[in-house]
Amino acid sequence: MRILVAVCTYNEADNIHEVLTRIITAVPEADVLVVDDDSPDQTSELVEQFSRSCDGQHTVRCLVRHERGLGGAIRQAMKVAVEERYDLFCNLDADLSHDPADLPGLIDLIASAKVDIAVGSRYVPGGDIVGWPMHRKWMSRTINAVARRKLGLPVNDASGSFRCYRVSRLAELDLDAESSDGYSFLQEVLLRLHRSGATMAELPIRFTERIAGDSKLNFREAIRSGWTVFRLGASDSK
Ligand SMILES: Nc1nc2c(ncn2[C@@H]2O[C@H](COP(=O)(O)OP(=O)(O)O[C@H]3O[C@H](CO)[C@@H](O)[C@H](O)[C@@H]3O)[C@@H](O)[C@H]2O)c(=O)[nH]1
């Protein structure tokens, strides 16, 4: 089973070493791909350093893009997984909000629940959010409740990026088709997969607010994301 674990980064110099260390500890058999949008804080140089320190024992590489957007970066990583014929594609945030120790649980869920996508979920029993103020929890819950109802998604947490996908399912999508480059790509890709017949299950996760660095999700991006979800709900294309 070939597994690619992707981490998308923008200015994660304070977190990248720790998250990569924890990923290769949790899933030593996986290859790791960092998709960095040319961070001015030199995140990509730190990935190269980390890669060299692995001394050939783990494959850790960095792909640098000269544009911005979490959705576009994840889409790029998915294309690598498809082109290089991996079996499973996992994605998580770099800021340690997602605990890499949950990766084996997500990978196992694909086999045990016989599904195509395992979704790390804050909004199922056992899931949790630590360190967010009330208004942020409310905003995220609302976006997710709307997404579930409007898009008919069979999961409670469609806005998180901690997931594992069967690459054969991603290969059925047109990843070059026009799609959101922002955070709403997370809902969009689930919708496209759901409409193409892919199945999904959720694993409860504890999401912990980052300690180092800053979130890139601002009010403007949240509104843009909400609007994209609304627009997607109104369309019925694949
Ligand atoms: N390559 C790239 N990566 C990005 C960009 N913007 C953000 N990222 C990366 O995406 C991850 C999450 O970004 P944050 O901005 O820290 O997100 P958050 O506020 O912690 O959480 C929100 O987004 C998450 C997306 O995974 C969600 O899981 C969570 O629900 C929440 O809505 C981090 O690894 C960050 O470096 C970008 O433009 N380009």
Side-chain angles (χ1 to χ4, degrees), residues 29-50:
E29 72 277 25
D31 292 347
V32 185
L33 173 68
V34 177
V35 181
D36 181 67
D37 286 359
D38 205 14
S39 301
D41 74 350
Q42 307 200 315
T43 302
S44 64
E45 283 82 349
L46 295 174
V47 178
E48 299 301 346
Q49 261 178 37
F50 186 91

Side-chain angles (χ1 to χ4, degrees), residues 79-98:
K79 282 161 75 171
V80 170
V82 171
E83 277 159 21
E84 299 186 8
R85 297 170 181 275
Y86 281 91
D87 298 298
L88 295 178
F89 171 81
C90 303
N91 184 226
L92 75 164
D93 291 350
D95 55 4
L96 303 167
S97 290
H98 299 147

Side-chain angles (χ1 to χ4, degrees), residues 11-19 41 43 46 94-96 210-214:
N11 283 347
E12 299 291 357
D14 292 337
N15 295 309
I16 195 69
H17 188 278
E18 178 69 14
V19 75
D41 74 350
T43 302
L46 295 174
D95 55 4
L96 303 167
R210 63 163 75 231
I211 292 170
D214 298 308

Side-chain angles (χ1 to χ4, degrees), residues 8 12 37 68-69 93-94 122 136 161 183 210 215-216:
C8 298
E12 299 291 357
D37 286 359
R68 278 293 309 276
D93 291 350
R122 298 161 285 186
R136 183 116 200 241
S161 71
Y183 286 70
R210 63 163 75 231
S215 167
K216 285 91 203 173

Side-chain angles (χ1 to χ4, degrees), residues 54 86 105 175:
C54 289
Y86 281 91
L175 290 169

